[in-house]
Amino acid sequence: MDPLKLDNLTAVEDWGTFTPDMKGYIPPQELELWDAFETIEEQLREHIDTSYMRDNDAPIIASSLSKGFPVAKLIIENETFAVPLSRRETASLAHDLGNNSWNRMAINKPQIVNDDAVKTIESVEWDVLRKLRATHGNNSLTSRLERLEVFKAGSHQISTAAESDSHQATVFVFLPTLTDSVSIHMRATYESCVSDVDLPTNLSGSACAVAIYTGIEHAVLDIGAGDEVTCLIYHQSAGFDEGDELITPCLANLSGALPPLRDVFCLWRHELIHNQDEPTVRLFFLECHPERARDFVGDDATLLCHLAPLAKAYGFKMYISQLIYTESTTQEVYHEYEDYLEECETSKLQMSSRPRKTYEWVGLRDLGGQEVKQPDLLRLAKTMVKNEKGYYYVNFLEDLDHESDWEGVDDTKYYATVEYTHVRTATVLFVVA
């Protein structure tokens, strides 16, 4: 049940013929909820955050260039060297280490002498990990400098094996070079995905970071003829508490169906068979207002790519509808004697802290955009939104931008009574048993 490809969303528009692969499928059964969750709803809501999901355009390798690089030094094998290292210095290091015919040299635990250089590296590290979608919150990863490597011209195999259970990604920080023209190319392969990056040819005054997930099947670094580059190798590890590392954005979770989501659909179907009180519908609020599957974009598209195969595999259907959420209050607007109210500035009106609320569903469509007549389903969805105990739906609705309007109810010689409204529109994805 791998996620759909972003360019294949139309596949779900004919739900009857849509057939996902059944990779990772397990029959409906009673499963334990993942750590820290007490209900199906909690586990589902946590994992529909697309921070946990890979969209099909997300790379398995990424790069980022610093804006500059301060004067810095490195302590290597108890000796201090200026950055960038000269060819004579790297040759001397290779000789001291017994690598007289070297084309690649690794030195463990170097030290950087300059706080500004450390901050520059941290900044470019964070940026490249963000591009790789390996971050989740500000404390998602911890970084540790492992070693310094020097590469001569040629092709070099890069190991992406995890060196601990929490090791998620490796960042190669290429330090400034002596020359203003270098050729550096890095390529990664994972299943059918091949992704590569070309570093800027001028690294004389900047550092460039390349990040790559652990578990990549094949990674190669190519250095141009006559060039020589020095880079620092950092390991990025999960920074969550014990148990939470199972849902961090590592390569295994970001490519393919998320195991926690798969387990939710599996357990939900099991509960529907054995528990009459289990909800038969769940609602997912969308950021945009698609009318059919091909209109889904951004995070909405990523969400549909992940949910649709799971829903079909476990025997659910999917629909789209719009919810009009209206808050209203009645108030008096004073005016000059017999200057009856014809226009009113809504900025002078105030919504009550306890407004009247109405919920109106507008249409119900399948993923192909065809209208579906299921009034009982819309009545059930209305009840769910109105009576939701955790205020999840209401909080989402109230965060939406609203349109203000007013309508005169009564007009006297001194004041007018008006109905003031805030109208919000949300598009909702239904998953229905």
PDB file of all heavy atoms in Angstrom, residues 217-242:
ATOM      1  N   GLU A 217      20.482   2.785  -0.911  1.00  0.00           N
ATOM      2  CA  GLU A 217      21.083   1.580  -1.486  1.00  0.00           C
ATOM      3  C   GLU A 217      22.462   1.834  -2.093  1.00  0.00           C
ATOM      4  O   GLU A 217      23.360   1.006  -2.015  1.00  0.00           O
ATOM      5  CB  GLU A 217      20.148   1.010  -2.563  1.00  0.00           C
ATOM      6  CG  GLU A 217      18.821   0.514  -1.993  1.00  0.00           C
ATOM      7  CD  GLU A 217      17.798   0.265  -3.078  1.00  0.00           C
ATOM      8  OE1 GLU A 217      18.113   0.510  -4.258  1.00  0.00           O
ATOM      9  OE2 GLU A 217      16.686  -0.182  -2.751  1.00  0.00           O
ATOM     10  N   HIS A 218      22.623   3.001  -2.731  1.00  0.00           N
ATOM     11  CA  HIS A 218      23.867   3.247  -3.463  1.00  0.00           C
ATOM     12  C   HIS A 218      24.111   4.750  -3.488  1.00  0.00           C
ATOM     13  O   HIS A 218      23.222   5.522  -3.844  1.00  0.00           O
ATOM     14  CB  HIS A 218      23.731   2.710  -4.890  1.00  0.00           C
ATOM     15  CG  HIS A 218      24.992   2.777  -5.691  1.00  0.00           C
ATOM     16  ND1 HIS A 218      26.118   2.027  -5.392  1.00  0.00           N
ATOM     17  CD2 HIS A 218      25.316   3.512  -6.789  1.00  0.00           C
ATOM     18  CE1 HIS A 218      27.072   2.279  -6.276  1.00  0.00           C
ATOM     19  NE2 HIS A 218      26.618   3.177  -7.126  1.00  0.00           N
ATOM     20  N   ALA A 219      25.299   5.180  -3.074  1.00  0.00           N
ATOM     21  CA  ALA A 219      25.638   6.608  -3.095  1.00  0.00           C
ATOM     22  C   ALA A 219      27.073   6.763  -3.589  1.00  0.00           C
ATOM     23  O   ALA A 219      27.968   6.010  -3.185  1.00  0.00           O
ATOM     24  CB  ALA A 219      25.486   7.223  -1.706  1.00  0.00           C
ATOM     25  N   VAL A 220      27.263   7.736  -4.479  1.00  0.00           N
ATOM     26  CA  VAL A 220      28.572   7.951  -5.111  1.00  0.00           C
ATOM     27  C   VAL A 220      28.904   9.435  -5.084  1.00  0.00           C
ATOM     28  O   VAL A 220      28.054  10.286  -5.361  1.00  0.00           O
ATOM     29  CB  VAL A 220      28.578   7.452  -6.569  1.00  0.00           C
ATOM     30  CG1 VAL A 220      29.911   7.750  -7.240  1.00  0.00           C
ATOM     31  CG2 VAL A 220      28.287   5.961  -6.625  1.00  0.00           C
ATOM     32  N   LEU A 221      30.156   9.732  -4.751  1.00  0.00           N
ATOM     33  CA  LEU A 221      30.683  11.092  -4.810  1.00  0.00           C
ATOM     34  C   LEU A 221      31.732  11.152  -5.906  1.00  0.00           C
ATOM     35  O   LEU A 221      32.710  10.401  -5.881  1.00  0.00           O
ATOM     36  CB  LEU A 221      31.302  11.480  -3.458  1.00  0.00           C
ATOM     37  CG  LEU A 221      32.056  12.804  -3.392  1.00  0.00           C
ATOM     38  CD1 LEU A 221      31.113  13.979  -3.603  1.00  0.00           C
ATOM     39  CD2 LEU A 221      32.784  12.936  -2.061  1.00  0.00           C
ATOM     40  N   ASP A 222      31.535  12.040  -6.866  1.00  0.00           N
ATOM     41  CA  ASP A 222      32.484  12.195  -7.966  1.00  0.00           C
ATOM     42  C   ASP A 222      33.192  13.538  -7.851  1.00  0.00           C
ATOM     43  O   ASP A 222      32.546  14.590  -7.772  1.00  0.00           O
ATOM     44  CB  ASP A 222      31.760  12.118  -9.321  1.00  0.00           C
ATOM     45  CG  ASP A 222      31.226  10.725  -9.609  1.00  0.00           C
ATOM     46  OD1 ASP A 222      31.950   9.755  -9.329  1.00  0.00           O
ATOM     47  OD2 ASP A 222      30.081  10.616 -10.091  1.00  0.00           O
ATOM     48  N   ILE A 223      34.518  13.488  -7.840  1.00  0.00           N
ATOM     49  CA  ILE A 223      35.356  14.694  -7.771  1.00  0.00           C
ATOM     50  C   ILE A 223      36.056  14.870  -9.114  1.00  0.00           C
ATOM     51  O   ILE A 223      36.617  13.918  -9.666  1.00  0.00           O
ATOM     52  CB  ILE A 223      36.408  14.580  -6.645  1.00  0.00           C
ATOM     53  CG1 ILE A 223      35.738  14.225  -5.315  1.00  0.00           C
ATOM     54  CG2 ILE A 223      37.204  15.876  -6.527  1.00  0.00           C
ATOM     55  CD1 ILE A 223      34.790  15.268  -4.795  1.00  0.00           C
ATOM     56  N   GLY A 224      36.019  16.087  -9.636  1.00  0.00           N
ATOM     57  CA  GLY A 224      36.598  16.354 -10.939  1.00  0.00           C
ATOM     58  C   GLY A 224      38.107  16.183 -10.984  1.00  0.00           C
ATOM     59  O   GLY A 224      38.801  16.272  -9.959  1.00  0.00           O
ATOM     60  N   ALA A 225      38.633  15.970 -12.189  1.00  0.00           N
ATOM     61  CA  ALA A 225      40.070  15.769 -12.392  1.00  0.00           C
ATOM     62  C   ALA A 225      40.860  16.957 -11.857  1.00  0.00           C
ATOM     63  O   ALA A 225      40.541  18.109 -12.136  1.00  0.00           O
ATOM     64  CB  ALA A 225      40.351  15.564 -13.876  1.00  0.00           C
ATOM     65  N   GLY A 226      41.889  16.659 -11.071  1.00  0.00           N
ATOM     66  CA  GLY A 226      42.760  17.702 -10.544  1.00  0.00           C
ATOM     67  C   GLY A 226      42.252  18.358  -9.278  1.00  0.00           C
ATOM     68  O   GLY A 226      42.963  19.153  -8.656  1.00  0.00           O
ATOM     69  N   ASP A 227      41.011  18.054  -8.868  1.00  0.00           N
ATOM     70  CA  ASP A 227      40.431  18.689  -7.676  1.00  0.00           C
ATOM     71  C   ASP A 227      40.713  17.863  -6.426  1.00  0.00           C
ATOM     72  O   ASP A 227      41.005  16.664  -6.489  1.00  0.00           O
ATOM     73  CB  ASP A 227      38.920  18.868  -7.840  1.00  0.00           C
ATOM     74  CG  ASP A 227      38.572  19.843  -8.956  1.00  0.00           C
ATOM     75  OD1 ASP A 227      39.397  20.757  -9.201  1.00  0.00           O
ATOM     76  OD2 ASP A 227      37.509  19.694  -9.567  1.00  0.00           O
ATOM     77  N   GLU A 228      40.585  18.548  -5.297  1.00  0.00           N
ATOM     78  CA  GLU A 228      40.726  17.895  -3.995  1.00  0.00           C
ATOM     79  C   GLU A 228      39.822  18.637  -3.014  1.00  0.00           C
ATOM     80  O   GLU A 228      39.846  19.875  -2.965  1.00  0.00           O
ATOM     81  CB  GLU A 228      42.180  17.955  -3.519  1.00  0.00           C
ATOM     82  CG  GLU A 228      42.413  17.295  -2.172  1.00  0.00           C
ATOM     83  CD  GLU A 228      43.894  17.332  -1.797  1.00  0.00           C
ATOM     84  OE1 GLU A 228      44.695  16.690  -2.495  1.00  0.00           O
ATOM     85  OE2 GLU A 228      44.246  18.041  -0.831  1.00  0.00           O
ATOM     86  N   VAL A 229      38.982  17.914  -2.263  1.00  0.00           N
ATOM     87  CA  VAL A 229      38.043  18.575  -1.358  1.00  0.00           C
ATOM     88  C   VAL A 229      38.135  17.964   0.034  1.00  0.00           C
ATOM     89  O   VAL A 229      38.473  16.784   0.201  1.00  0.00           O
ATOM     90  CB  VAL A 229      36.593  18.480  -1.872  1.00  0.00           C
ATOM     91  CG1 VAL A 229      36.439  19.224  -3.193  1.00  0.00           C
ATOM     92  CG2 VAL A 229      36.138  17.036  -2.018  1.00  0.00           C
ATOM     93  N   THR A 230      37.826  18.807   1.010  1.00  0.00           N
ATOM     94  CA  THR A 230      37.823  18.400   2.417  1.00  0.00           C
ATOM     95  C   THR A 230      36.410  18.578   2.960  1.00  0.00           C
ATOM     96  O   THR A 230      35.774  19.608   2.723  1.00  0.00           O
ATOM     97  CB  THR A 230      38.784  19.269   3.238  1.00  0.00           C
ATOM     98  OG1 THR A 230      40.094  19.175   2.674  1.00  0.00           O
ATOM     99  CG2 THR A 230      38.813  18.830   4.693  1.00  0.00           C
ATOM    100  N   CYS A 231      35.917  17.581   3.658  1.00  0.00           N
ATOM    101  CA  CYS A 231      34.580  17.744   4.230  1.00  0.00           C
ATOM    102  C   CYS A 231      34.523  17.154   5.628  1.00  0.00           C
ATOM    103  O   CYS A 231      35.298  16.249   5.990  1.00  0.00           O
ATOM    104  CB  CYS A 231      33.510  17.134   3.337  1.00  0.00           C
ATOM    105  SG  CYS A 231      33.445  15.352   3.320  1.00  0.00           S
ATOM    106  N   LEU A 232      33.607  17.712   6.426  1.00  0.00           N
ATOM    107  CA  LEU A 232      33.319  17.223   7.767  1.00  0.00           C
ATOM    108  C   LEU A 232      32.076  16.351   7.694  1.00  0.00           C
ATOM    109  O   LEU A 232      31.096  16.702   7.042  1.00  0.00           O
ATOM    110  CB  LEU A 232      33.084  18.390   8.723  1.00  0.00           C
ATOM    111  CG  LEU A 232      34.260  19.368   8.879  1.00  0.00           C
ATOM    112  CD1 LEU A 232      33.847  20.563   9.729  1.00  0.00           C
ATOM    113  CD2 LEU A 232      35.463  18.660   9.500  1.00  0.00           C
ATOM    114  N   ILE A 233      32.113  15.213   8.381  1.00  0.00           N
ATOM    115  CA  ILE A 233      31.006  14.255   8.347  1.00  0.00           C
ATOM    116  C   ILE A 233      30.255  14.333   9.675  1.00  0.00           C
ATOM    117  O   ILE A 233      30.830  14.107  10.744  1.00  0.00           O
ATOM    118  CB  ILE A 233      31.509  12.815   8.136  1.00  0.00           C
ATOM    119  CG1 ILE A 233      32.504  12.752   6.979  1.00  0.00           C
ATOM    120  CG2 ILE A 233      30.331  11.877   7.933  1.00  0.00           C
ATOM    121  CD1 ILE A 233      31.932  13.118   5.641  1.00  0.00           C
ATOM    122  N   TYR A 234      28.957  14.657   9.583  1.00  0.00           N
ATOM    123  CA  TYR A 234      28.106  14.750  10.771  1.00  0.00           C
ATOM    124  C   TYR A 234      27.037  13.663  10.729  1.00  0.00           C
ATOM    125  O   TYR A 234      26.448  13.406   9.677  1.00  0.00           O
ATOM    126  CB  TYR A 234      27.419  16.112  10.839  1.00  0.00           C
ATOM    127  CG  TYR A 234      28.336  17.266  11.138  1.00  0.00           C
ATOM    128  CD1 TYR A 234      29.080  17.870  10.124  1.00  0.00           C
ATOM    129  CD2 TYR A 234      28.469  17.761  12.435  1.00  0.00           C
ATOM    130  CE1 TYR A 234      29.929  18.933  10.394  1.00  0.00           C
ATOM    131  CE2 TYR A 234      29.313  18.826  12.705  1.00  0.00           C
ATOM    132  CZ  TYR A 234      30.043  19.413  11.689  1.00  0.00           C
ATOM    133  OH  TYR A 234      30.878  20.465  11.958  1.00  0.00           O
ATOM    134  N   HIS A 235      26.777  13.057  11.881  1.00  0.00           N
ATOM    135  CA  HIS A 235      25.675  12.113  12.007  1.00  0.00           C
ATOM    136  C   HIS A 235      24.501  12.816  12.689  1.00  0.00           C
ATOM    137  O   HIS A 235      24.670  13.453  13.735  1.00  0.00           O
ATOM    138  CB  HIS A 235      26.091  10.898  12.837  1.00  0.00           C
ATOM    139  CG  HIS A 235      26.934   9.929  12.085  1.00  0.00           C
ATOM    140  ND1 HIS A 235      27.337   8.721  12.612  1.00  0.00           N
ATOM    141  CD2 HIS A 235      27.461   9.980  10.827  1.00  0.00           C
ATOM    142  CE1 HIS A 235      28.072   8.082  11.720  1.00  0.00           C
ATOM    143  NE2 HIS A 235      28.169   8.829  10.636  1.00  0.00           N
ATOM    144  N   GLN A 236      23.327  12.699  12.076  1.00  0.00           N
ATOM    145  CA  GLN A 236      22.110  13.254  12.648  1.00  0.00           C
ATOM    146  C   GLN A 236      21.311  12.105  13.262  1.00  0.00           C
ATOM    147  O   GLN A 236      21.029  11.110  12.600  1.00  0.00           O
ATOM    148  CB  GLN A 236      21.279  13.944  11.565  1.00  0.00           C
ATOM    149  CG  GLN A 236      22.070  14.913  10.711  1.00  0.00           C
ATOM    150  CD  GLN A 236      22.650  16.055  11.503  1.00  0.00           C
ATOM    151  OE1 GLN A 236      22.011  16.548  12.435  1.00  0.00           O
ATOM    152  NE2 GLN A 236      23.834  16.497  11.143  1.00  0.00           N
ATOM    153  N   SER A 237      20.945  12.285  14.528  1.00  0.00           N
ATOM    154  CA  SER A 237      20.232  11.226  15.236  1.00  0.00           C
ATOM    155  C   SER A 237      18.919  11.745  15.774  1.00  0.00           C
ATOM    156  O   SER A 237      18.757  12.940  16.015  1.00  0.00           O
ATOM    157  CB  SER A 237      21.087  10.682  16.396  1.00  0.00           C
ATOM    158  OG  SER A 237      22.303  10.152  15.902  1.00  0.00           O
ATOM    159  N   ALA A 238      17.959  10.824  15.972  1.00  0.00           N
ATOM    160  CA  ALA A 238      16.654  11.213  16.489  1.00  0.00           C
ATOM    161  C   ALA A 238      16.804  11.795  17.883  1.00  0.00           C
ATOM    162  O   ALA A 238      17.525  11.258  18.712  1.00  0.00           O
ATOM    163  CB  ALA A 238      15.726  10.001  16.509  1.00  0.00           C
ATOM    164  N   GLY A 239      16.108  12.897  18.123  1.00  0.00           N
ATOM    165  CA  GLY A 239      16.205  13.559  19.417  1.00  0.00           C
ATOM    166  C   GLY A 239      14.972  13.404  20.266  1.00  0.00           C
ATOM    167  O   GLY A 239      14.761  14.159  21.194  1.00  0.00           O
ATOM    168  N   PHE A 240      14.105  12.399  19.961  1.00  0.00           N
ATOM    169  CA  PHE A 240      12.877  12.222  20.709  1.00  0.00           C
ATOM    170  C   PHE A 240      13.114  11.323  21.919  1.00  0.00           C
ATOM    171  O   PHE A 240      14.125  10.649  22.043  1.00  0.00           O
ATOM    172  CB  PHE A 240      11.799  11.590  19.825  1.00  0.00           C
ATOM    173  CG  PHE A 240      11.329  12.500  18.730  1.00  0.00           C
ATOM    174  CD1 PHE A 240      11.740  12.296  17.425  1.00  0.00           C
ATOM    175  CD2 PHE A 240      10.480  13.552  19.009  1.00  0.00           C
ATOM    176  CE1 PHE A 240      11.310  13.121  16.416  1.00  0.00           C
ATOM    177  CE2 PHE A 240      10.043  14.382  17.998  1.00  0.00           C
ATOM    178  CZ  PHE A 240      10.455  14.170  16.702  1.00  0.00           C
ATOM    179  N   ASP A 241      12.119  11.292  22.802  1.00  0.00           N
ATOM    180  CA  ASP A 241      12.176  10.388  23.931  1.00  0.00           C
ATOM    181  C   ASP A 241      12.031   8.953  23.449  1.00  0.00           C
ATOM    182  O   ASP A 241      11.574   8.688  22.347  1.00  0.00           O
ATOM    183  CB  ASP A 241      11.059  10.703  24.934  1.00  0.00           C
ATOM    184  CG  ASP A 241      11.248  12.077  25.568  1.00  0.00           C
ATOM    185  OD1 ASP A 241      12.414  12.515  25.654  1.00  0.00           O
ATOM    186  OD2 ASP A 241      10.241  12.703  25.953  1.00  0.00           O
ATOM    187  N   GLU A 242      12.363   8.030  24.322  1.00  0.00           N
ATOM    188  CA  GLU A 242      12.300   6.620  23.961  1.00  0.00           C
ATOM    189  C   GLU A 242      10.893   6.248  23.513  1.00  0.00           C
ATOM    190  O   GLU A 242       9.902   6.578  24.152  1.00  0.00           O
ATOM    191  CB  GLU A 242      12.702   5.759  25.162  1.00  0.00           C
ATOM    192  CG  GLU A 242      12.761   4.270  24.851  1.00  0.00           C
ATOM    193  CD  GLU A 242      13.228   3.460  26.037  1.00  0.00           C
ATOM    194  OE1 GLU A 242      13.566   4.064  27.067  1.00  0.00           O
ATOM    195  OE2 GLU A 242      13.218   2.229  25.927  1.00  0.00           O
TER     196      GLU A 242
END
